[in-house]
Structure formats: C-alpha cells, structure tokens
Amino acid sequence: MSIKEYEGEFTPIATHNKPEPAARAYTYEEWKAEIFKLYPGSESKDRYTQNNLEKLIADFLSKGTPLRASFSQYHRKFQKIVKWLADNGKMERSSEKEKFQHGIPSTLWVRIAQCLEILYPLHHPNNPYEVEDMFNTGDWYLKGNTTAMAFTPPTDHQGGILPAPSPQPTTAPANAKTTDTSGSNSG
C-alpha cells in the first residue's frame, strides 16, 4: 500500500479533497496575506482605534476606586493600545499622559498627585506627569493602602464635600504668666 492509500484509511473524509501543495514556494509574507484573506477584519491596520482607547478609559473610570490588580491591568491595556496607535500614526505620543491621567478615578488621582508632588517638587502642576511615574506611584499606593481607599470624605447633606476645619487661634490659659515683648517698661 502506498502512503496515499494509508492516508485515506486513517484520516477524516474532509481531508481527502485537500489540494496538492503549490508548485512554487510561498514567502512568509505571501502566506500571511493569504491567511488574512480567510479572516476579514484581522488586518493589523484595524487592530485598535481611538474609540478602543476611550472605551478602556471610560470602563476603568466607571468601576470606581480600583484594586491594585485592576489598576495594573488598565495600565497594560492602555500601553498596548497607545503603542499600537502611535506606531501606526493614529495618535500623538504627547497626548498619552493626559489620557492615562483622565482614566484614573479622582479618589485615587488625589493620592497619586500628592505623592508625585513630593517626588517632583519642581514639576509644574499644569504639565502632566509621565505615565510610568503615575502608574508606579498608584501601584505603590494601592499596594500599601488597601484599607485607605475605602475612606470617603465627610459630606454635607447636599452631597458636597465639607471643607477641612480651619485652625483656631490659640489663647493662653487665664492663669498663665505672660511676658511683655513690646519693649516698653512699665516701671
């Protein structure tokens, strides 16, 4: 028995009518193009759009205060989409920082901004921080403060956040001795 006969006995019927290999050899790029024709929409030129990035940001914001794992997942997906968009000329890298910051919930952003202000005291507040700095700071904060994120600031009955109490002037107790520092002598 020849190999063809054995193949016919032990393979499913669907493979009996398979085409014979082409007479010429395909290059990898030609083969890849043929495969992409079989799966419409799989072309790399349509992999991501600005809408994908906006949806990622909106979805992450809608979840509220994140856990460390979900913040890391957001960062990975964000970087993947932004890199592809920038590499394919569909987004300027300069807007990456603002978009990443806009995706961070305000409860977490306040903490990240406070830490970054300490780390970079000369950084102008109108300029966005680097994405990696924002991520690393947020990751550090979420790692060490799992219960702190459950805190919500006190609010008034209309839903507004109450201002921090103002410091009260201190007065000396009635029985305390005071010294005259005005420089005048009374006696």
Side-chain angles (χ1 to χ4, degrees), residues 61-115:
L61 271 175
S62 70
K63 293 178 183 174
T65 304
L67 298 174
R68 186 176 181 212
S70 61
F71 186 59
S72 295
Q73 184 180 23
Y74 166 69
H75 176 255
R76 282 191 303 274
K77 286 180 179 178
F78 181 89
Q79 290 293 71
K80 182 179 177 182
I81 293 171
V82 165
K83 181 181 181 334
W84 190 92
L85 290 173
D87 289 350
N88 289 284
K90 297 184 183 277
M91 181 182 154
E92 295 293 324
R93 289 300 280 219
S94 60
S95 66
E96 171 186 7
K97 300 172 193 174
E98 292 94 353
K99 289 191 180 286
F100 186 77
Q101 180 180 337
H102 286 114
I104 300 173
S106 61
T107 54
L108 178 59
W109 175 247
V110 168
R111 306 292 189 226
I112 291 173
Q114 288 171 345
C115 293

